[in-house]
Amino acid sequence: MNTPLDLAAAVRADGAPVLTVTGEIDMSNADEFRAAIVDAVVDGHRLTVDLTAVEYLDSAALAALFAHVDRLRVVANPLLDSVLTISGLSALTTVTIRD
């Protein structure tokens, strides 16, 4: 069974890319998430990965983020705060928690 996932890439007026993710990210769709990260990267800018509408992510999702940690920043909801901290991701890149 595939987990619902919606990915929307955009570029802000300043040229910075944003990948907005909605739903759940797990092993059933982590490859799609990983590919969306790669496709959304714009040279010279850090990619903002907006996870504020993500309800769940597993180790496959974290692996996709860690693979590109030097090129991204993460915005997430409080539900994901502990997993992003415990995994060490927040020590390697900017993680902003928003309600």
Side-chain angles (χ1 to χ4, degrees):
M1 175 199 277
N2 286 347
T3 304
L5 179 66
D6 184 46
L7 302 161
V11 178
R12 294 189 315 222
D14 65 358
V18 178
L19 177 63
T20 302
V21 186
T22 304
E24 299 181 357
I25 313 167
D26 62 23
M27 64 184 229
S28 73
N29 56 28
D31 287 338
E32 182 182 357
F33 177 55
R34 186 176 297 106
I37 291 172
V38 170
D39 291 346
V41 170
V42 173
D43 288 338
H45 292 280
R46 282 177 116 22
L47 169 65
T48 297
V49 179
D50 183 346
L51 301 176
T52 56
V54 170
E55 301 151 5
Y56 173 82
L57 56 83
D58 71 2
S59 60
L62 288 170
L65 292 168
F66 272 103
H68 303 284
V69 73
D70 59 329
R71 299 184 297 182
L72 57 82
R73 72 188 76 204
V74 176
V75 179
N77 63 58
L79 182 66
L80 302 179
D81 188 18
S82 62
V83 73
L84 297 173
T85 301
I86 291 169
S87 69
L89 188 73
S90 61
L92 299 175
T93 193
T94 302
V95 175
T96 304
I97 303 300
R98 291 198 185 132
D99 288 327

